[in-house]
């Protein structure tokens, strides 16, 4: 079974927080500051996708079908929702370093095909970032696929490779506060990054761990597409013989796979752009059909330690739960103690 996990701030969930009760009437003669209780509840909010043994979405499960564990300890599910058809906010990150010069056309075609396959008019938006020595925004968030395509096809290769800086910057500067949906719709969107690269970083100031943590803290799912073809036998580049290819993942490929796995995404190792067509459609369907659960960790101390999350569907053998691997137990800077008569969901573990 594959379950995709994403820890996201409670304020970004479709599930509304518990109804707050009005504060009790205070005795006007009571000393100042008494009769009021301050309480902060740290919630971990997790998104995940369930697939059956044929890799098809399973959208009809309920709360009682799942069990969730935090560092191996069972947790009580406080909130459960099925989130479907949410607007997508996509960061398209293209490696334009010298190492992928021979594959720049592949990158352009793959990214354009993805955007035209997944983006829906008047609902989804994306931005384009390239990176070599440093990351650069070519096109800010827009729903105009033509504008995105025009910037992508103009990219040129040259320079070093700063993958981790690009991932960190894209999450921190762009995907942490994407455009709101139009009208009166809830401020709930799905944050996605599509990273196309050979995975060979040689210039970043940030580490891979820092890039992954920033993606997890901003609830970004990373899908990676490798430009490396070193694992493909020269006699087996025919799309009709995909199943016969010999895999040999480079160090860069393994880095791309780790970025995807740690954030609940998937890594792809294609040769031809056509290899990705069905995969792109599957990604779009997955992102629009997810479950969301929230729990208050029984073993939570906001000390910055990494917590492993595991979700199971014990009565559904063979299902896959595709999910991020965990979260960092850090306090939410926005959650400052305030006077309240009832527990507040403002504090959380990221």
């Amino acid at each position: 079974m594959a379950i995709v996990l994403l820890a996201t701030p409670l304020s970004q969930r479709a599930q509304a927080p518990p109804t707050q009760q009005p504060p009790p009437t205070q005795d006007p003669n009571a000393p100042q500051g008494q009769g009021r209780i301050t309480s902060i509840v740290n919630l971990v909010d997790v998104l995940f996708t369930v697939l059956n043994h044929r890799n098809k979405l399973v959208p009809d499960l309920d709360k009682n079908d799942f069990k969730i564990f935090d560092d191996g300890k069972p947790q009580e599910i406080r909130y459960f929702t099925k989130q479907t058809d949410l607007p997508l906010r996509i960061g398209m990150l293209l490696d334009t370093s010298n190492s992928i010069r021979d594959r720049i056309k592949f990158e352009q075609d793959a990214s354009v095909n993805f955007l035209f396959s997944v983006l829906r008019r008047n609902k989804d938006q994306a931005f384009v970032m390239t990176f070599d020595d440093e990351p650069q925004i070519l096109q800010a968030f827009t729903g105009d696929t033509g504008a995105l395509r025009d910037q992508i096809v103009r990219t040129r290769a040259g320079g070093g490779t700063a993958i981790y800086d690009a991932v960190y910057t894209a999450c921190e500067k762009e995907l942490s506060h994407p455009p709101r949906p139009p009208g009166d719709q809830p401020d709930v969107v799905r944050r996605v990054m599509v990273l196309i690269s050979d995975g060979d970083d040689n210039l970043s100031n940030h580490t891979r761990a820092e890039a992954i943590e920033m993606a997890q803290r901003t609830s970004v799912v990373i899908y990676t597409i490798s430009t490396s073809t070193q694992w493909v036998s020269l006699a087996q580049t025919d799309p009709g013989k995909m199943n016969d290819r010999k895999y040999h993942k480079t160090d860069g490929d393994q880095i791309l796979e780790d970025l995807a796995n740690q954030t609940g995404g998937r890594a792809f190792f294609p040769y031809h752009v056509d290899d990705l067509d069905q995969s792109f459609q599957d990604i779009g369907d997955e992102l629009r059909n997810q479950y969301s659960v929230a729990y208050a960790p029984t073993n939570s101390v906001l000390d910055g330690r990494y917590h492993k999350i595991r979700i199971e569907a014990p009565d559904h053998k063979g299902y896959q739960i595709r999910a991020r691997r965990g979260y960092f137990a850090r306090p939410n800077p926005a959650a400052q103690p305030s006077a309240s008569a009832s527990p507040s969901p403002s504090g959380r573990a990221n």
Side-chain angles (χ1 to χ4, degrees), residues 95 100 161 163-164 197-201 226-227 251-253 255-256:
D95 184 343
I100 58 85
T161 313
I163 297 175
Y164 306 144
S197 173
D198 58 9
D200 293 328
D201 188 296
S226 174
T227 61
D251 290 343
D253 289 336
I255 288 172
L256 295 175

Side-chain angles (χ1 to χ4, degrees), residues 75-88:
Q75 306 293 316
E76 177 188 357
I77 297 176
R78 293 279 193 95
Y79 308 109
F80 175 86
T81 59
K82 300 176 185 179
Q83 298 189 342
T84 61
D85 205 35
L86 294 181
L88 303 180

Side-chain angles (χ1 to χ4, degrees), residues 2-52:
I3 295 177
V4 177
L5 301 174
L6 302 169
T8 182
L10 187 63
S11 60
Q12 297 166 2
R13 303 174 64 243
Q15 171 69 43
T19 302
Q20 303 268 335
Q21 298 297 324
T25 302
Q26 296 187 31
D27 183 349
N29 296 321
Q32 184 68 26
Q34 293 186 7
R36 310 184 79 181
I37 300 174
T38 298
S39 178
I40 293 178
V41 178
N42 293 303
L43 290 174
V44 176
D45 196 12
V46 183
L47 300 174
F48 59 95
T49 301
V50 181
L51 308 176
N52 63 21

Side-chain angles (χ1 to χ4, degrees), residues 166-219:
V167 172
Y168 191 99
T169 301
C171 292
E172 181 187 39
K173 303 296 185 183
E174 303 296 329
L175 289 165
S176 64
H177 53 279
R180 290 178 54 112
D184 296 327
Q185 299 180 43
D187 187 16
V188 182
V189 296
R190 188 67 69 246
R191 296 165 169 81
V192 186
M193 179 185 298
V194 178
L195 172 64
I196 307 180
S197 173
D198 58 9
D200 293 328
D201 188 296
N202 54 27
L203 273 182
S204 284
N205 293 313
H206 292 288
T207 65
R208 189 197 321 177
E210 290 172 339
I212 289 172
E213 179 177 357
M214 180 54 69
Q216 292 175 336
R217 288 176 63 83
T218 51
S219 305

